[in-house]
């Protein structure tokens, strides 16, 4: 094995963004004060579905400081509907409800005033006359042909119903010695960043440009705004130098931006829409997947799982958006880390009268992993096998990479057995089981949980053409430009916003690595969208691969230019030169320094070799390493790189109170070469915390009347320091053969396996009572009630 | 109503409606944008400031209540432009943050703890920060940062010597 | 989430506050604001004016008055939690306070504000109920004293006079004998409103027999509930016996079910927490030499 020596990549350097944030000097959208700014408050629908008979804003408009009241009729007449991911043209969506609303809390009018509080005062005075309509909340009810359609013109609630069969499913089922089936349900939760979504739009009629500042994490954001507002693409200028206060997928903000952009143009003043928490929770359209899995497994008595049938029914909420694609991404890792030979997968997405979904960290992969890992636990239980042994028996082996899974993706690299053995050694698996048994002996419920899963990374969007044949997207690019100024100082341009991922550190580190110069000397800036090369923003765990690739390839181009200049100057072939820390060394030790090369590039054009542009700059547009093909026969290479994680948890709880205490949490993580260890560690720990929330605490709950019951932070419970245990991370590195340094993605790590691991541990803890937990989040009341019911039926834990 | 507000050692008179929270007054009237709005109903802690040295939620105080109270915001911690105080530096050292949105509140909650207790246990750190929600970090590197800051505070020689007192 | 407009008044004396409240029936008292201000922000409360009592000297402070520990209504929870007097004279209250919210909310939140708000899961109200504190209001010139069981009549509903001002809460001083307190509560997240809570004060005679066990449970129904365990007075402390009496006393406890917990969960949890609190209290009492 060759040991690669690196100066900066994988070293323990500080994250450069942190300095401004600890000083309170981040620049978030709400921090931007433009003179003359107007403020928006929203009028929310009271019923889950109602025909809007009349909206009367007269009283509101008469209030001091109130500038405008906008309804959906006016807005929809002036704009195009927002884009749907699927081919569902009759599921039209505008920022304000048109004719009828489709969920409680949906925005039906916007009030614009000189301050936010005046806008809220006036919003109370907008009179809305409605006729309540029938509604549907439950996905299984919605899928029935007898259900009321949320969008009558679409004809039904079914947005997507596709069945894929990869491999010889029927044969594998009939040949297998055993089978089992079960249902598990992933409750509706989301990422819920502490900063709500916000946008400021300003129209300049003299230049014809709409300037947009937003807390955004959205591929092709500027394009979508321009399309909806019927503007040329080059009339929308998105400012990427806005810090985003967390997103983890959800900050897509098209509807908010279209609304603010329209108002800014109409009113001739900057317009600011910063969601308050109630607006954000009810109608920010940022809920996450809510999914019922029906799974059938076919396996042999030796523990080999041969085939799987899975039906995933997702409750998309009232409009389509991109959310149904979250059933598509998991196809890229539909067998998890296992050698399952064939899969039948039915993906169903339905509309209901709930808040709209948006992309959530992992884009549907974490719920699917929960279903797969539940299957592995149940197979082990069925066979009376140790759950760890069962997984070991089914893991893809290190010598089998690259490994083609039935649904068409090739896993790039990995050594799952090695990671698991490291975790087992670090945690002391046998000792953990013994500790569990000791806790049980004290009368507690105690469980060991485990979960193994993949993090597909380097996102392109092959799920789009796979689920929508009209969509012919085969790759998603990311770009970077490097400029060496006349003083020899380096500036790297990145063309996206960031929401905590440390992209400035990433870009500086890889450019510093390639150019062999101290990253602290490299400035990283973010031009606006009109000055940017194309990109697709930090989604799908892609930036280490994609921005890391773009920046390092641009730096390599720069180095190539420097070598060419030196070769020309020294009159020797490039092959005789060695790049050394910014200088270039020629035969016999002659050396041309960095500043000399810069001087030639910037001033002495007569010394430039033919075909070399003056001024040292380089741009690189990176395409997804494997993103070159459209789907064929329902198969496609989804993402290029596959990180692996293995979770091992011990928890216990009092059988009556049923509030779990996590005693031990160990994760083994292999995301290839780590660019910055602090960042990867933070992503992993944060993802686990988010996963613990999804497993135990967080849920958007609706009552029978279709009202959202968890619309404030008093009821939507996110874990605090008390609920998150110390987590031990065990590292392993299997470099990716597809990337510059061997890096893979890690932006979704932790979250992808934590809910499955917690569920596994909770299930193990209640197993002695023969209770089955089949729904996330696992509420303590539900656990306690189930144990009590079992005790009443005479079940004992012995 | 006119009210003198003392923030980071400077007193300025502001004119506010009674319904304006301290949070909004800091941000909108004094231009101190480091105090962040998270939930406006007292749960998330993003708006945490120090009031007479103790961490409080600025969304749960009215500006008109604050005369005579010394308010410290994140802008008041750094000893000079471009310089970090011990707690801020520790957060950088351990990367106790990601997006930076909860960070000022988190650092002030930590500062409030460390002002009273420079040798906190893990439980005491968790308890002091339990009212501040972070969605990025999972808290691990935040708790490391506070423990590191405490260690550095104990090791520095800026505090009055105790040995003279016997 | 901005409050609707209101006026702001900061009285300097109890008389001034009472006069204002009498003249402005839509006004509300603002103490620590940790519950009221979120209600204002969500426009669930729309008072015409707020009467800010946080700085009224007459309403702050912790002192001994005869056989009671007198805590001014505007005393913050943090002050009370740090108070040596509270720790010595009302250890149950101190334990209850450590479960109230989070450190930053205790810095502003007050003893009186919590009592007056009367949330069914409030720890201070539960401690006051268990210990039999007096809740003292001033209405005009009249002083009105309430026993907790007469004061808390429903979720956030009390018998407080509409224009009255809560001035202080008088807790009985530490009883004679060997005293121990225990307080337990459960919520999905520590620091949230408890879905069930229990507090106990165990007083033992020198020989270890029970002088009295005061027990109360909160968070499960509309109001904090005292549990009568007087049949144990004078008996040797036997955990199983106590458990039987507690289980019987709570078997028919009225509990509510909601998003966070079912009624049956609350009932079982209340019994479990009650036994834990009594166990804690007994252990402390056994260590108490007094």
């Amino acid at each position: 094995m060759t040991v690669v020596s690196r100066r900066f990549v994988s070293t323990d350097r500080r994250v450069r963004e942190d300095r401004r944030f600890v000083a309170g000097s981040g620049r978030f959208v709400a921090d931007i004060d433009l003179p003359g700014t107007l403020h928006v408050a929203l009028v929310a629908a009271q019923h889950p579905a109602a025909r809007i008979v009349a909206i009367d804003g007269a009283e509101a408009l008469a209030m001091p400081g109130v500038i405008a009241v906008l309804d959906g009729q006016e807005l929809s007449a002036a704009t195009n509907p927002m884009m749907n991911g699927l081919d569902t043209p009759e599921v039209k969506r505008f920022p304000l409800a048109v004719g009828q609303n489709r969920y409680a809390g949906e925005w039906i009018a916007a009030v614009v005033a000189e301050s936010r509080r005046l806008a809220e005062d006036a919003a109370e005075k907008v009179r809305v006359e409605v006729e309540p309509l029938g509604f549907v909340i439950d996905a299984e009810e919605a899928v029935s042909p007898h259900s009321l359609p949320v969008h009558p013109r679409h004809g039904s609630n079914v947005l997507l119903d596709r069945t894929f069969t990869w491999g010889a499913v029927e044969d594998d089922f009939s040949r297998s010695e055993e089978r089992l089936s079960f249902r598990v349900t992933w409750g509706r939760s989301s990422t819920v960043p502490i900063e709500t979504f916000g946008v400021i739009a300003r129209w300049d009629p003299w230049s014809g440009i709409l300037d947009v500042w937003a807390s955004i994490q959205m591929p092709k954001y500027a394009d979508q705004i321009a399309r909806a507002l019927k503007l040329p693409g080059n009339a929308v200028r998105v400012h990427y130098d806005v810090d985003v206060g967390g997103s983890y997928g959800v900050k897509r903000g098209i509807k908010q931006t279209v609304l603010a952009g329209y108002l800014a143009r109409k009113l001739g003043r900057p317009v600011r829409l910063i969601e308050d928490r109630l607006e954000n929770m009810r109608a920010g359209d940022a809920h996450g997947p809510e999914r019922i899995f029906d799974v059938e497994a076919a396996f042999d008595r030796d523990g080999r799982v041969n085939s799987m049938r899975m039906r995933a029914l997702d409750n998309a909420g009232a409009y389509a958006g991109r959310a149904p694609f979250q059933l598509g991404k998991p196809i890229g890792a539909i067998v998890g880390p296992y050698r399952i030979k064939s899969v039948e997968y039915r993906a169903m997405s339905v509309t209901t009268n709930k808040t709209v979904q948006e992309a959530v960290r992992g884009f549907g992969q974490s719920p699917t992993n929960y279903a797969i890992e539940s299957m592995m636990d149940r197979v082990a239980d069925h066979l009376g096998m140790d759950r760890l042994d069962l997984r070991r028996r089914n893991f893809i082996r290190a010598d089998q990479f690259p490994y083609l899974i039935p649904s068409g993706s090739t896993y790039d690299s990995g050594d799952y057995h090695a990671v698991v053995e490291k975790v087992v050694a670090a945690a002391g698996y046998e000792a953990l089981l013994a500790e569990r048994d000791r806790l049980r002996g004290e009368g507690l419920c105690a469980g060991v949980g485990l979960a193994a899963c993949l993090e597909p990374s380097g996102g392109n969007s092959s799920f789009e053409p796979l689920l929508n044949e009209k969509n012919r997207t085969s790759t998603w690019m990311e770009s970077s430009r490097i400029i060496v100024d006349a003083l020899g100082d380096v500036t790297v341009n990145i063309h996206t916003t960031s929401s905590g991922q440390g992209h400035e550190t990433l870009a500086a580190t890889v450019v510093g690595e390639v150019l062999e110069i101290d990253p602290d000397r490299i400035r990283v800036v973010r031009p606006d969208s009109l000055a940017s090369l194309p990109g697709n923003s930090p989604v799908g765990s892609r930036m280490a691969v994609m921005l890391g690739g773009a920046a390092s390839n641009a730096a390599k181009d720069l180095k190539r230019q420097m070598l060419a200049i030196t070769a020309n100057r020294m009159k020797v072939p490039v092959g005789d030169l060695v790049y050394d820390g910014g200088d270039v060394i020629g035969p016999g030790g002659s050396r041309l320094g960095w500043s000399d090369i810069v001087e030639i590039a910037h001033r002495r054009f007569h010394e430039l070799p033919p075909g070399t542009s003056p001024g040292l700059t380089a741009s690189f547009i990176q395409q997804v390493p494997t993103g070159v093909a459209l789907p064929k026969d329902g198969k496609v290479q989804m993402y290029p790189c596959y990180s692996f994680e293995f979770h091992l948890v011990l928890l216990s709880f009092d059988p009556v109170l049923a509030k779990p205490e996590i005693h031990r949490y160990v994760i083994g993580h292999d995301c290839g070469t780590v660019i910055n260890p602090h960042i990867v560690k933070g992503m992993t720990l944060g993802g686990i915390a988010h996963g613990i929330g999804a497993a135990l605490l967080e849920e958007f709950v609706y009552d029978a009347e279709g009202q959202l019951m968890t619309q404030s932070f008093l009821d939507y419970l996110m874990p605090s320091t008390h609920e998150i245990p110390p987590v031990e991370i065990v590292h392993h590195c299997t470099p990716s053969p597809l990337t510059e340094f061997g890096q893979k993605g890690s932006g979704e790590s932790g979250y992808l396996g934590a809910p499955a691991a917690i569920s596994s541990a909770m299930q193990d803890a209640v197993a002695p009572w023969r209770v089955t937990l089949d729904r996330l989040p696992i509420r303590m009341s539900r656990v306690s009630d189930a144990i009590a019911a079992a005790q009443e039926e005479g079940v004992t834990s012995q | 109503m006119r009210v003198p507000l003392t923030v980071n050692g400077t007193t300025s008179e502001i004119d506010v409606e009674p319904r304006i929270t301290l949070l909004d007054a800091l941000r909108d009237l004094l231009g101190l944008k480091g105090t962040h709005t998270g939930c406006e109903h007292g749960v998330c802690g993003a708006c945490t400031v120090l009031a007479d040295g103790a961490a409080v939620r600025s969304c749960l105080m009215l500006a008109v209540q604050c005369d005579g109270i010394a308010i410290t915001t994140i802008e008041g911690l750094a000893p000079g432009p471009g310089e970090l105080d011990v707690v801020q530096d520790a957060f950088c050292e351990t990367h106790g943050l990601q997006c930076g949105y909860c960070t000022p509140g988190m650092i002030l909650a930590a500062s409030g703890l460390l002002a009273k207790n420079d040798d906190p246990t893990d439980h005491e750190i968790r308890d002091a920060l339990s009212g501040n929600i972070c969605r990025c970090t999972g808290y691990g590197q935040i708790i490391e940062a506070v423990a590191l800051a405490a260690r550095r505070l104990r090791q520095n020689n800026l505090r009055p010597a105790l040995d003279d007192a016997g | 989430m901005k409050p609707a407009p209101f006026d702001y008044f900061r009285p300097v004396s109890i008389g001034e506050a009472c006069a204002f409240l009498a003249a402005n029936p839509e006004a509300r008292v603002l103490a620590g604001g940790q519950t009221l201000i979120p209600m204002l922000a969500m426009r669930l409360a729309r008072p015409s004016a707020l009467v800010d009592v946080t700085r009224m000297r007459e309403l702050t402070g912790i002192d001994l008055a005869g056989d009671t520990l007198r805590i001014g209504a505007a005393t913050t929870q943090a002050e009370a939690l740090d108070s040596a007097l509270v720790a010595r004279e009302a250890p149950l209250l101190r334990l209850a306070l450590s479960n109230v919210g989070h450190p930053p909310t205790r810095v502003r939140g007050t003893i009186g504000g919590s009592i007056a708000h009367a949330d069914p899961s409030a720890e201070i109200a539960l401690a006051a109920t268990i210990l039999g504190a007096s809740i003292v209001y001033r209405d005009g010139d009249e002083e009105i004293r309430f026993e907790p069981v007469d004061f808390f009549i429903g979720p956030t509903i009390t018998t407080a006079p509409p224009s009255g001002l809560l001035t202080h809460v008088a807790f009985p001083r530490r009883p004679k004998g060997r005293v121990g307190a225990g307080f337990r509560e459960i919520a999905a997240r520590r620091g949230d409103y408890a879905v069930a809570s229990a507090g106990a004060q165990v007083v033992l005679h020198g020989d270890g027999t029970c002088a009295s066990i005061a027990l109360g449970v909160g968070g499960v129904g509309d109001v904090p509930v005292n549990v009568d365990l007087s049949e144990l007075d004078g008996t040797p402390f036997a955990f199983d016996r106590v458990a039987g009496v507690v289980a019987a006393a709570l078997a028919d406890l009225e509990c509510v079910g909601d998003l966070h917990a079912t009624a049956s969960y609350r009932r079982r949890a209340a019994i479990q927490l009650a036994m834990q609190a009594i166990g804690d209290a007994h252990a402390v009492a056994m260590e108490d030499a007094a």
Side-chain angles (χ1 to χ4, degrees), chain A residues 302-313:
Chain A
D302 66 358
R304 274 302 311 276
V305 178
N306 298 313
S307 188
M308 172 179 79
R309 289 196 178 104
M310 176 185 284
R311 188 192 82 151
L313 171 62

Side-chain angles (χ1 to χ4, degrees), chain B residues 19 24 40 65 67 130, chain C residues 2-3 10 37 52 55 102:
Chain B
R19 60 166 156 168
D24 283 351
E40 294 186 284
Q65 292 185 284
D67 54 298
S130 64
Chain C
K2 310 297 181 192
R10 191 191 291 172
I37 293 181
D52 183 354
R55 302 203 196 180
H102 300 277

